[in-house]
Each structure stands twice: as structure tokens, then as C-alpha cells.
């Protein structure tokens, strides 16, 4: 398991292997039919059937996502029947409506944070700044009114620091008023 600013608790029980997650974590789990591996978040659980996958479940985010790299996982919520994901699929659970969307994604981008890279694909400015705040454990004043429909795609692949990333955003997206740190 590799986590990013996640508060996770691993409980070894005789019958199960359980992780309670508030944050984001990438897992590579060996199949063990006798002892299932389960990731529990505030509103859903992911039962592992031998696989590699990412779960993003921050308390302040509007949604919880599970992205499958390889193998198979079963995602359950209290209000819906379990959903089984195939490799390169992402399940997005809306916390306020309990809606579920399954989409096909490039898992290389999704799991890039595990290797120190940050890739945003079709992200809002708020999503970008929230991710940078978590990554650098800082507060970014982004109280400016960002146009919600605007989406951005940007890749940070060379271990850029926060100032470098903000400067790249300023040059690349001239209409974007950058926040202060």
C-alpha cells in the first residue's frame, strides 16, 4: 500500500484484512480467498479479488473514486448493489446523490502520483489547487471566482516544486488568475 496524506488504519482480523481510508492510497494486493482484503471509506467499501487499484476518498471531496489497474475489485455502497470493475475502469461515487458512474480511464495518469508525478486531465482549477494543497501540505488562497465549466489538462513530470507548478499554470493558462500561498 502506498498512501498520500491518507489517514489509514490497517486491521488484521482472522477472517479479513481491512483498511479504513480517509485520503488516497494505491494498493497491490495478493489474492487470498480465505482472507479477503477490504478498503472501507466513509460511504463505500472495495473488496479486492487480487489486484492493483487506487482509492481516492478525502472527507472534503464531493466524490469517492476507485480506479482499477489490474485484476478485479467489487465496490459496494449501502444504497446500491455491488459493482465489479474491470482493468482501466473508474467508479465515481457522488456522496450527496449516491449516484455511481463507471468510465474507462488511462490508469497511467490516475496512478502517476505513486511515482511522484502529477497529471491533471480535464480537471477544474479547484481540483488542481486542492491536489497541490494536499501534495505540498499548504493552503492556497484560491477564493477567486473560477469558472466551473472550464477544464484543464496539464502534466508535471519532473518533480517540479509548488512555485514552478504555479508559474507553469500562469504561463499556460493566461486567463487563470493564480492564487497566493
Amino acid at each position: 500500500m502506498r498512501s498520500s496524506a491518507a489517514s489509514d488504519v490497517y486491521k488484521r482480523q482472522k477472517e479479513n484484512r481491512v483498511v479504513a481510508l480517509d485520503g488516497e492510497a494505491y494498493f497491490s494486493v495478493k489474492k487470498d480467498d480465505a482472507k479477503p482484503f477490504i478498503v472501507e471509506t466513509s460511504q463505500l467499501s472495495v473488496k479486492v479479488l487480487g489486484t492493483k487499484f487506487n482509492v481516492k476518498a478525502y472527507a472534503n471531496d464531493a466524490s469517492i473514486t476507485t480506479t482499477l489497474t489490474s485484476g478485479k475489485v467489487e465496490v459496494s455502497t449501502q444504497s446500491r448493489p455491488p459493482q465489479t470493475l474491470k482493468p482501466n475502469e473508474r467508479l465515481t461515487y457522488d456522496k450527496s446523490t449516491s449516484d455511481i458512474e463507471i468510465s474507462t480511464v488511462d490508469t497511467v495518469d490516475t496512478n502517476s502520483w505513486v511515482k511522484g508525478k502529477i497529471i491533471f486531465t480535464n480537471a477544474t482549477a479547484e481540483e488542481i489547487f486542492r491536489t497541490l494543497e494536499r501534495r505540498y501540505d499548504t493552503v492556497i488562497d484560491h477564493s477567486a471566482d473560477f469558472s466551473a465549466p472550464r477544464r484543464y489538462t496539464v502534466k508535471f513530470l519532473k518533480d517540479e516544486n509548488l512555485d514552478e507548478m504555479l508559474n507553469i499554470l500562469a504561463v499556460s493558462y493566461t486567463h487563470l488568475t493564480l492564487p497566493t500561498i
Side-chain angles (χ1 to χ4, degrees):
M1 173 179 69
R2 170 138 187 202
S3 65
S4 169
S7 61
D8 44 59
V9 180
Y10 182 68
K11 301 180 284 187
R12 236 183 224 278
Q13 302 169 340
K14 281 188 173 184
E15 64 278 354
N16 290 329
R17 299 171 289 167
V18 179
V19 174
L21 178 67
D22 176 4
E24 183 171 9
Y26 180 80
F27 300 88
S28 179
V29 180
K30 184 177 178 182
K31 185 175 182 175
D32 183 346
D33 291 331
K35 294 181 182 179
F37 185 90
I38 299 170
V39 178
E40 295 178 342
T41 71
S42 63
Q43 295 180 347
L44 62 82
S45 66
V46 180
K47 182 178 180 182
V48 179
L49 309 167
T51 190
K52 293 181 180 180
F53 66 104
N54 193 76
V55 177
K56 185 176 180 182
Y58 289 98
N60 296 334
D61 285 359
S63 63
I64 300 171
T65 62
T66 300
T67 306
L68 183 62
T69 303
S70 66
K72 188 163 64 167
V73 295
E74 180 180 276
V75 182
S76 302
T77 69
Q78 295 176 348
S79 60
R80 302 217 176 208
Q83 302 281 325
T84 302
L85 295 183
K86 295 179 272 187
N88 300 317
E89 285 187 335
R90 171 186 292 147
L91 181 141
T92 303
Y93 173 81
D94 186 302
K95 291 180 184 178
S96 63
T97 65
S98 298
D99 287 342
I100 290 176
E101 177 185 330
I102 297 176
S103 55
T104 302
V105 296
D106 182 353
T107 57
V108 172
D109 288 356
T110 302
N111 303 327
S112 63
W113 70 270
V114 176
K115 295 180 179 157
K117 299 169 180 18
I118 301 179
I119 299 175
F120 299 102
T121 304
N122 201 29
T124 66
E126 183 178 340
E127 291 168 334
I128 292 171
F129 294 134
R130 188 172 44 239
T131 299
L132 294 177
E133 286 177 331
R134 289 175 182 151
R135 169 87 178 239
Y136 293 100
D137 193 24
T138 189
V139 175
I140 300 174
D141 177 13
H142 52 89
S143 56
D145 181 28
F146 296 114
S147 177
R150 273 219 150 116
R151 300 289 179 153
Y152 306 92
T153 297
V154 61
K155 296 181 180 189
F156 298 106
L157 306 175
K158 300 177 182 171
D159 294 323
E160 296 89 347
N161 65 40
L162 181 57
D163 286 336
E164 290 170 327
M165 289 183 186
L166 292 174
N167 286 330
I168 290 168
L169 289 169
V171 170
S172 302
Y173 303 101
T174 56
H175 62 278
L176 183 62
T177 304
L178 289 181
T180 56
I181 301 175

